[in-house]
Amino acid sequence: MTMAERIVRIGGASGAWGDSPRGIGQLLGTQVDYLMMDYLAEVTMSLLARARMKDPEAGFPPDFVDYLKPHLKALAERKVKVVSNAGGVNPAACKRALEAACAEQGLSLKVAVVTGDDLLPQIDALREEGVREWVSGEPLPKRMLTANAYLGALPIAAALAKGADIVITGRCADSALGLGILMHEFGWQPGDYDRLAAGSLVGHVLECGPQATGGVFTDWERVPDWHDIGYPIAECKADGSFWLTKPPGTGGLVDTACVAEQVLYEIGDPRAYMLPDVVADFSRVRLTQESSERVLVQGAIGRAPTAQYKVSATYQDGYRSVAMAVIIGADAVRKSERSAQALVDRAQAMFKQRGIAPFKRVHMEMLGAESAYLADAKTRATREVVMRLVVEHDDAKALGLFAREIGSAGLSFAQGTASLIGGRPKPTPVVRLFTFFVDKARLNPLMVQVAGEPAFAVEVPATGGYEAPAAEPVQGKAADRASVEVPLIQLAHSRSGDKGNSSNIAIFARKPEYRDHIAAWLTPERVAAHFAGSVSGAVTVFDAPGLHAINFLLEDALGGGGMASMRIDPQGKAYGQRLLEIMLPVPAEWA
């Protein structure tokens, strides 16, 4: 078989820490060469850092080892390799735990670990150098929980070349898990930018597991058998093209629309997706439905990467308590709002008496009353709500005083206060994200250790010289004879997600002829107005003509984002659904 004829099959067995373990056995029941398992997110790193503080052998998602244990023998027998970022903030400890599990079963799988992403030992030096937050320009806080660079694919490829059966990394670009496999298998080099972009697209489509095969799909009613949803498989060629499929007989849906939603998920400008190994251009990616369970993906373009790594750091900013109570009956919304305010006023009065500072932040939402829609809410007359009151303070003891008063809501305030959800809330740390950039040379060389062999160094080229593409206005042309209004969901489907405190919303035309009309009508100004009160920053639109799509980036949109946000949708997962409700004038025949 020639290199051009070879097919490398990668199964996306995990989309996040908390995903089901069923993907591993399901994929091992079909033909795959690798399992790619993604576990990390910005929120996850801070949780793992707190775990490591309590136990030096913790700091990685324990699910990874627990879920792999029953399948280690099958992995060895079938020679299926695993690549995962499950090392979290303690990759060496994750390697030791997995090696112990292999030893218990008498297996000699070679486990490799990639290190070098942890910048916490350098944080004082970085502070002295005047490192600033990427968006806000703020200086580094005094005490950081984590500081991890998004590494690339080169050390993964090097570990596989040394015979590793399982490769564990700390923080790396999620898509680098797939790209590292393909660089090893096909011999792609650091300068093969189009192929590196294509391999990054493989990793990007697989990184969220079943999101590519019908999970969180706009047209959810078309997706059969959620309970047995099939996990994705990428069948990859040396030229960078691949087919997306899933194990036969499983639920879910392999459809160009599902795959398109994942292609633009959380990427910002589709022409300039900034990754450690390449700046990828997905704007002209093409999807072809070749059968009911097979989609061909091709058309990614690459350019040289920057000379810097993105670093996601986290720090603690006080404490938070969340009080929740069910309130039922007429005027439930107004009663719950008054109850929440009364609890805040009572606590603030107690603080004043004791010389305690007031709350740093207060946030109220009445679940069931469309609080997320703010002034556009339409269900304030509902007779059943959950009062959700979020308060933050620098002193955990102050939140303890607040928590003791929660039970009084059922005695002092509104009739119909039926139950407290979760009892007295316990203070939890507020963790905020701090993003900055460092030169790649600062982390060279990265280190790789395979099994018990001596660690070896991997040098990453510091290319630089990247220039962002000039902004291009999204071209659209409104259809003639627009005489009726329909919700956008009739013309398009969407997918939304987060990057820090920004939200990405991709809009895909259901028919190519709809795309220009949507682009002409759905301007950044209209999107900003639709999210008034939720989004405080700029709204920018980018073109993705290959997918008949446009992609919106909404800045300062998530109340801090991730664990820092006090909102019920801290990652903007529902923003796409909200935008699909906007009304568009269209020709009558379209309606």
Side-chain angles (χ1 to χ4, degrees):
M1 182 181 295
T2 66
M3 186 66 77
E5 294 172 324
R6 283 189 61 211
I7 301 293
V8 176
R9 294 173 173 83
I10 308 173
S14 173
W17 186 12
D19 197 0
S20 170
R22 66 183 299 110
I24 303 170
Q26 187 189 89
L27 291 166
L28 286 176
T30 188
Q31 186 180 358
V32 292
D33 304 301
Y34 290 86
L35 298 183
M36 172 182 147
M37 301 182 70
D38 181 21
Y39 276 88
L40 299 185
E42 291 154 349
V43 170
T44 312
M45 297 297 282
S46 57
L47 296 174
L48 295 174
R50 295 214 307 267
R52 186 179 59 182
M53 286 186 218
K54 298 176 183 177
D55 178 359
E57 285 299 299
F60 61 90
D63 288 358
F64 173 65
V65 178
D66 292 342
Y67 290 177
L68 276 185
K69 271 183 183 179
H71 303 286
L72 291 173
K73 186 177 180 182
L75 290 170
E77 290 175 346
R78 300 177 196 177
K79 301 187 184 307
V80 175
K81 297 176 182 281
V82 178
V83 177
S84 178
N85 57 12
V89 299
N90 203 347
C94 183
K95 177 178 183 285
R96 288 191 292 271
L98 190 57
E99 286 175 332
C102 291
E104 288 174 9
Q105 300 180 38
L107 300 172
S108 56
L109 291 168
K110 287 187 176 182
V111 182
V113 64
V114 175
T115 57
D117 63 296
D118 187 2
L119 276 162
L120 211 53
Q122 301 187 44
I123 208 70
D124 291 336
L126 289 164
R127 189 180 289 107
E128 290 178 7
E129 293 168 20
V131 164
R132 298 276 172 167
E133 208 280 332
W134 175 36
V135 177
S136 70
E138 292 293 318
L140 270 170
K142 291 182 179 179
R143 186 168 180 270
M144 306 301 295
L145 293 173
T146 63
N148 297 85
Y150 284 78
L151 302 184
L154 278 175
I156 296 171
L160 293 169
K162 288 286 187 178
D165 298 303
I166 300 174
V167 181
I168 297 168
T169 76
R171 199 56 175 118
C172 69
D174 301 342
S175 58
L177 301 174
L179 176 58
I181 294 169
L182 297 175
M183 290 183 76
H184 165 64
E185 287 286 341
F186 293 130
W188 295 345
Q189 297 303 306
D192 296 336
Y193 296 129
D194 285 348
R195 287 181 173 84
L196 298 186
S200 297
L201 181 55
V202 171
H204 178 67
V205 169
L206 294 179
E207 70 186 51
C208 292
Q211 276 193 192
T213 49
V216 299
F217 181 41
T218 301
D219 298 342
W220 57 273
E221 289 182 299
R222 289 209 289 127
V223 183
D225 300 327
W226 276 357
H227 68 283
D228 188 31
I229 193 165
Y231 279 67
I233 301 169
E235 299 181 344
C236 310
K237 296 181 65 177
D239 65 2
S241 64
F242 68 99
W243 291 271
L244 197 285
T245 185
K246 64 182 181 66
T250 59
L253 185 67
V254 180
D255 184 279
T256 54
C258 295
V259 179
E261 288 191 8
Q262 186 60 28
V263 169
L264 295 190
Y265 182 56
E266 299 183 337
I267 68 168
D269 185 349
R271 300 169 306 155
Y273 186 30
M274 313 282 280
L275 297 167
D277 302 289
V278 65
V279 175
D281 182 347
F282 296 161
S283 65
R284 299 189 181 276
V285 166
R286 305 182 306 280
L287 307 177
T288 306
Q289 190 83 44
E290 293 202 342
S291 70
S292 62
E293 295 196 347
R294 195 171 174 84
V295 169
L296 174 64
V297 184
Q298 52 194 158
I301 299 169
R303 293 188 294 277
T306 71
Q308 293 186 310
Y309 287 121
K310 177 182 175 182
V311 180
S312 281
T314 59
Y315 65 98
Q316 185 174 332
D317 183 23
Y319 297 86
R320 173 182 298 166
S321 284
V322 182
M324 300 178 71
V326 177
I327 299 176
I328 300 171
D331 288 325
V333 177
R334 290 196 300 128
K335 287 190 290 188
S336 63
E337 290 171 340
R338 186 174 175 186
S339 296
Q341 190 60 55
L343 285 168
V344 171
D345 292 344
R346 180 175 289 191
Q348 301 282 45
M350 291 168 54
F351 294 167
K352 188 174 182 180
Q353 290 172 356
R354 291 166 169 78
I356 300 173
F359 290 122
K360 290 176 68 173
R361 285 174 285 271
V362 174
H363 182 70
M364 303 175 189
E365 290 174 310
M366 308 308 141
L367 310 186
E370 295 190 354
S371 288
Y373 287 82
L374 302 175
D376 196 37
K378 298 176 182 177
T379 59
R380 285 188 60 82
T382 186
R383 295 175 296 173
E384 177 181 281
V385 297
V386 173
M387 177 200 78
R388 182 175 183 266
L389 171 60
V390 188
V391 293
E392 292 181 359
H393 203 284
D394 282 330
D395 187 352
K397 293 180 180 178
L399 295 183
L401 293 173
F402 163 76
R404 291 193 316 195
E405 294 297 319
I406 301 300
S408 68
L411 302 169
S412 303
F413 305 156
Q415 188 173 119
T417 303
S419 64
L420 300 178
I421 298 176
R424 288 183 180 178
K426 294 181 179 179
T428 57
V430 177
V431 177
R432 297 191 181 277
L433 181 66
F434 189 99
T435 302
F436 61 97
F437 294 87
V438 298
D439 290 341
K440 288 176 178 174
R442 188 180 198 114
L443 295 182
N444 266 336
L446 303 175
M447 302 304 294
V448 177
Q449 184 188 27
V450 180
E453 300 169 11
F456 63 93
V458 176
E459 291 281 343
V460 176
T463 50
Y466 168 75
E467 293 184 9
E472 295 179 0
V474 174
Q475 300 296 324
K477 181 180 178 181
D480 296 331
R481 308 180 317 279
S483 57
V484 298
E485 285 197 335
V486 299
L488 178 60
I489 195 170
Q490 289 192 20
L491 306 180
H493 54 102
S494 76
R495 173 74 63 82
S496 61
D498 69 311
K499 272 290 179 285
N501 193 28
S502 297
S503 179
N504 288 257
I505 309 176
I507 299 295
F508 307 85
R510 294 185 182 276
K511 295 182 179 180
E513 58 265 33
Y514 294 166
R515 186 259 174 211
D516 280 356
H517 180 73
I518 293 171
W521 195 92
L522 198 65
T523 63
E525 293 75 20
R526 284 195 169 103
V527 172
H530 188 70
F531 287 96
S534 297
V535 175
S536 303
V539 176
T540 310
V541 63
F542 303 99
D543 208 357
L547 299 171
H548 309 297
I550 52 179
N551 195 53
F552 289 93
L553 177 65
L554 288 62
E555 299 177 48
D556 195 5
L558 302 172
M563 291 184 69
S565 178
M566 304 170 87
R567 302 178 186 176
I568 54 171
D569 186 14
Q571 295 174 295
K573 300 297 187 184
Y575 274 23
Q577 290 286 291
R578 288 175 61 183
L579 190 53
L580 289 176
E581 296 173 2
I582 200 169
M583 301 298 290
L584 273 73
V586 300
E589 59 268 27
W590 289 12

